[in-house]
């Protein structure tokens, strides 16, 4: 009889939030995998009920300190959908520009500080910095340029305050954007070198069997690489407007996680994030990015999640390229925002957070109060796929010493850059008052 073994990690390192890992296996295979998200639920949907619809961008920004723009953008798009608002193209361009800043910030943090230590054999970025100080300094310099975009357009770097339903509270002049352009051009050159460096890393060989391949899901737009706009598509033929999301995706509670697992009703687990965007929208990347991908020999389709660091580096370069383009073509909007009058309705919004598809749905009542809210973060959508990766991967690396095998499993989780705190506010809370009986 095969002797059962376990891999147990009480606190996952270099991920945002609190999670654990449990795997039970033996020579015959993997028998149990649990990505245990134990961070307490935060009930954002619950305490948004009864708040004015205009408060949604500022409340949802507090869900995540790393990707607040994504939450603001999905919230404002859903509210504008409910209210029937149409924004001028200049405001859409500014929203795309601030989204570029967030992609740069978030991806660069993950690439250099969270993921690189796995490939270079260090327990964390601090230890890595002792031997590779320039590498860490380069990462901080690139991230600083992304911070500058968010700070200028958002009013501050963390939890920006300039985004509102209908647009912005204030829009910059062309003169304010020009100094930013020079900073971005310099950082873009560094981003090119980041791509080359990332492509040189040693990648474990890991791809699913043909019968068990990922279903990648992302937004797709006919005119642009997706950030703020588009329909929802997949590599297995899904093609739906955002408002049809609930008809195709389902959230399920698992007893060991304080975040819900999201699955496709028709087929089960799916994969969101940079690899999904890249695989479904490669032809809409800028010529510079596609040229560099070709130069490093990186194909237009990537199925190895350990190579996600390369895809993220390509998206960082794209975000710089796109930000420079938007600044060079900038025309200051005639208005900072379209006026939003409260009216009842249901609104749907989805944007591409750095970690993947982020869905919001809101019901607004006659007084403009939020009657119902639903938010589905990328990490909750990837949880089942992460667990499936571990089931498939572990037998392939069973020959490794146990300590090294555990490190490989942790790296497999970090491939997805999970933001655990984002995912832990989906449980419904029911309060029941006990009735007293006279004694």
């Amino acid at each position: 009889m095969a002797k059962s073994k376990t891999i147990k990690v009480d606190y996952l390192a270099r991920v945002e939030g609190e999670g654990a890992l449990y795997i039970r296996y033996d020579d015959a295979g993997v028998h149990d995998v649990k990505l245990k998200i134990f961070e307490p639920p935060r009930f954002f949907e619950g305490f948004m009920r009864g708040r004015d619809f205009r408060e949604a961008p500022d409340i949802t920004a507090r869900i995540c300190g790393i990707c607040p723009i994504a939450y603001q953008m999905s919230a404002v798009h859903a509210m504008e959908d409910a209210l029937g608002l149409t924004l001028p193209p200049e405001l859409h361009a500014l929203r795309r520009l601030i989204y570029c800043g967030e992609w740069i910030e978030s991806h660069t943090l993950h690439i250099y500080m969270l993921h690189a230590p796995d490939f270079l054999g260090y327990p964390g970025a601090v230890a890595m910095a002792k031997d590779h100080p320039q590498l860490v300094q380069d990462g901080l310099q690139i991230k600083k340029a992304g911070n500058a975009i968010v700070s200028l357009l958002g009013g501050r770097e963390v939890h920006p305050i300039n985004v509102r339903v209908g647009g912005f509270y204030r829009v910059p002049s062309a003169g304010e954007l020009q100094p930013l352009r020079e900073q971005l051009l310099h950082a873009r050159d560094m981003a090119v070198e980041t791509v080359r460096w990332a492509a040189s890393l040693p990648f474990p060989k890991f791809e699913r069997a043909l019968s068990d391949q990922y279903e990648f899901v992302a937004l797709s737009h006919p005119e642009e690489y997706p950030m703020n706009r588009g329909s929802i598509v997949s590599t297995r033929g899904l093609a739906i407007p955002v408002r049809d999301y609930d008809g195709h995706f389902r959230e399920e509670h698992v007893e060991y996680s304080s975040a819900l697992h999201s699955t496709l009703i028709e087929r089960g687990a799916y994969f969101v994030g940079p690899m999904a965007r890249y695989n479904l929208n490669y032809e809409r990347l800028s010529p510079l990015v596609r040229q560099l991908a070709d130069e490093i020999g990186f194909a237009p389709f990537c199925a190895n999640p350990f190579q996600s660091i390369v895809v993220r580096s390509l998206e960082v370069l794209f975000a710089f390229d796109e930000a420079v383009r938007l600044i060079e073509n900038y025309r200051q909007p005639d208005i900072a925002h379209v006026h939003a009058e409260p009216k009842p309705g249901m609104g749907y919004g989805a944007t591409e957070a750095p970690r993947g598809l982020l869905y919001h749905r809101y019901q607004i009542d006659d007084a403009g109060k939020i009657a119902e809210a639903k938010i589905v973060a990328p990490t909750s959508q990837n949880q089942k796929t992460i667990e499936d990766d571990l089931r498939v991967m572990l037998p392939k690396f069973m020959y490794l010493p146990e300590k090294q095998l555990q490190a490989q499993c942790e790296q497999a989780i970090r491939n997805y850059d999970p933001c655990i705190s984002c995912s832990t506010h989906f449980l419904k809370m029911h309060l029941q008052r006990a009735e007293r009986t006279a004694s």
Side-chain angles (χ1 to χ4, degrees):
M1 183 175 179
K3 182 181 178 182
S4 180
K5 302 178 182 178
T6 61
I7 292 175
K8 188 170 180 284
V9 182
D10 292 327
Y11 290 90
L12 291 167
R14 283 182 277 127
V15 298
E16 200 288 320
E18 297 176 338
L21 173 64
Y22 174 82
I23 303 176
R24 182 170 58 83
Y25 69 101
D26 58 31
D27 293 340
V30 179
H31 302 290
D32 194 13
V33 177
K34 292 185 176 75
L35 176 58
K36 296 184 174 182
I37 292 180
F38 56 82
E39 185 160 327
R42 297 160 72 202
F43 305 113
F44 267 88
E45 289 109 329
F47 64 69
M48 287 181 72
R49 292 196 293 267
R51 306 299 289 264
D52 189 279
F53 75 94
R54 301 174 188 87
E55 296 182 75
D58 291 323
I59 293 175
T60 56
R62 269 66 182 177
I63 292 174
C64 185
I66 298 173
C67 48
I69 296 299
Y71 283 92
Q72 290 185 324
M73 290 294 112
S74 289
V76 296
H77 281 296
M79 291 302 177
E80 288 156 8
D81 180 55
L83 299 174
L85 296 184
T86 301
L87 274 60
E90 293 84 2
L91 289 178
H92 279 297
L94 277 178
R95 284 183 171 177
R96 191 165 173 81
L97 179 57
I98 196 171
Y99 225 134
C100 287
E102 179 153 283
W103 274 22
I104 293 166
E105 286 181 339
S106 179
H107 279 347
T108 303
L109 174 66
H110 176 75
I111 290 168
Y112 282 94
M113 307 301 169
L114 306 182
H115 216 183
D118 285 323
F119 294 97
L120 300 179
Y122 294 92
V126 174
M128 184 179 72
K130 293 179 180 178
D131 296 331
H132 302 276
Q134 191 60 51
L135 186 68
V136 173
Q137 289 173 21
D138 288 349
L140 293 173
Q141 192 68 23
I142 295 170
K143 184 179 183 299
K144 187 177 180 181
N147 291 356
I149 298 175
V150 175
S151 182
L152 178 61
L153 295 182
R156 62 188 185 194
E157 293 178 8
V158 180
H159 301 320
I161 53 175
N162 193 34
V163 173
R164 62 173 292 168
V165 177
F168 295 84
Y169 288 100
R170 178 187 177 277
V171 295
S173 66
E176 289 176 280
L177 290 176
Q178 284 311 305
L180 180 60
R181 175 182 175 274
E182 300 307 314
Q183 182 179 1
L184 297 179
L185 286 171
H186 173 68
R188 184 174 66 178
D189 292 340
M190 299 178 70
V192 169
E193 296 309 312
T194 297
V195 173
R196 294 193 176 111
W197 164 78
S200 72
L201 294 170
F203 300 109
K205 292 182 179 179
F206 175 72
E207 288 195 14
R208 299 277 193 99
L210 188 62
S211 60
D212 190 32
Q213 288 184 341
Y214 302 109
E215 180 163 8
F216 291 104
V217 175
L219 291 181
S220 184
H221 191 278
E223 299 172 4
E224 59 193 30
Y225 195 77
M227 286 184 177
N228 265 319
R229 302 186 292 179
S231 56
I232 299 173
V233 301
S234 86
T235 47
R236 294 191 189 174
L238 182 72
I240 59 171
V242 172
R243 61 177 45 245
D244 289 350
Y245 178 95
D246 294 301
H248 294 266
F249 297 86
R250 174 177 55 216
E251 289 183 294
E252 301 171 321
H253 177 250
V254 292
E255 62 180 358
Y256 54 84
S257 177
S258 58
L260 303 183
H261 279 203
S262 183
T263 57
L264 269 162
I265 295 171
E266 296 92 340
R267 289 178 290 278
Y270 60 101
F271 192 143
V272 301
M275 282 175 56
R277 289 191 292 263
Y278 180 86
N279 292 339
L280 287 160
N281 298 279
Y282 175 85
E283 68 281 0
R284 295 181 186 89
L285 288 164
S286 64
L288 172 63
V289 177
R290 285 184 279 119
Q291 178 184 337
L292 188 57
D294 185 62
E295 176 189 314
I296 63 174
F298 201 74
F301 191 92
C302 176
N304 182 351
F306 288 96
Q307 291 182 305
S308 61
I309 191 170
V310 181
V311 179
R312 281 189 175 85
S313 69
L314 288 166
E315 284 201 335
V316 170
L317 178 58
F318 170 76
F320 276 117
D321 218 25
E322 183 71 350
V324 170
R325 183 191 70 81
L326 289 166
I327 290 173
E328 289 177 345
N329 294 296
Y330 179 64
R331 291 187 302 155
Q332 185 172 343
D334 294 329
I335 54 173
H337 62 269
V338 175
H339 184 62
E341 282 288 342
K343 70 174 186 178
M346 182 77 82
Y348 308 83
T351 68
E352 284 288 343
R355 292 161 182 82
L357 188 72
L358 173 58
Y359 173 70
H360 286 218
R361 186 192 74 208
Y362 298 101
Q363 176 78 47
I364 306 173
D365 66 17
D366 294 348
K369 304 293 184 183
I370 299 171
E372 178 193 351
K374 179 176 181 177
I375 302 171
V376 186
T379 294
S380 67
Q381 297 179 75
N382 277 335
Q383 279 181 95
K384 187 166 174 47
T385 297
I386 294 171
E387 291 182 343
D388 289 348
D389 267 3
L390 293 167
R391 287 190 184 91
V392 174
M393 184 197 77
L394 196 140
K396 299 178 186 292
F397 294 95
M398 202 90 78
Y399 62 89
L400 294 172
E402 287 189 23
K403 188 174 181 181
Q404 194 173 343
L405 181 59
Q406 176 178 316
Q408 194 79 79
C409 291
E410 291 186 66
Q411 182 177 356
I413 295 172
R414 282 190 286 270
N415 288 337
Y416 291 80
D417 189 17
C419 189
I420 290 172
S421 295
C422 288
S423 67
T424 58
H425 54 93
F426 303 111
L427 298 180
K428 292 182 179 179
M429 179 169 58
H430 298 282
L431 298 178
Q432 183 173 356
R433 186 185 298 275
E435 299 206 4
R436 294 185 178 181
T437 57
S439 56

